[in-house]
Amino acid sequence: MDSLSEDQVSRVTEIWKLFNEYNPSTLEEAISAFQGYDNPDLEIQGWEEMARLFKAAIAGEEELWPRSRRRLLFLKVLVSHTTPTSG
């Protein structure tokens, strides 16, 4: 298992900060999970894209997004990003 670079750890930390309310892993567990990927950068980029979609959906309307609704949005973004599409 290779270590992540300082930049990768920083990026994973930002992803974790956004999603830790909906994903019970610790920061150390999240870093360890990314270390296990063959291409951590590709996985980090995917999670960064999910973070962008999540933030864009609630931007300017945070008061309309209680925790339960944000959790559903997180799950929807996660499923849509991880579900293979037919070509």
Side-chain angles (χ1 to χ4, degrees), residues 8 11 34 38-48 81:
Q8 289 171 322
R11 292 163 62 200
F34 280 98
D38 289 334
N39 188 344
D41 265 332
L42 185 61
E43 292 298 326
I44 293 168
Q45 288 170 6
W47 278 90
E48 287 171 332
H81 187 75

Side-chain angles (χ1 to χ4, degrees), residues 9 12-17 20 24-33:
V9 169
V12 169
T13 300
E14 290 305 309
I15 294 164
W16 179 83
K17 285 179 186 177
N20 77 328
S25 67
T26 65
L27 177 57
E28 292 75 22
E29 290 169 334
I31 291 169
S32 180

Side-chain angles (χ1 to χ4, degrees), residues 25-72:
S25 67
T26 65
L27 177 57
E28 292 75 22
E29 290 169 334
I31 291 169
S32 180
F34 280 98
Q35 287 173 330
Y37 289 115
D38 289 334
N39 188 344
D41 265 332
L42 185 61
E43 292 298 326
I44 293 168
Q45 288 170 6
W47 278 90
E48 287 171 332
E49 179 60 22
M50 286 189 283
R52 279 190 288 280
L53 291 170
F54 183 87
K55 287 191 236 181
I58 64 173
E61 297 182 340
E62 288 82 359
E63 68 281 354
L64 300 176
W65 289 88
R67 184 182 189 282
S68 60
R69 191 167 176 217
R70 289 191 315 269
R71 179 168 171 69
L72 289 175

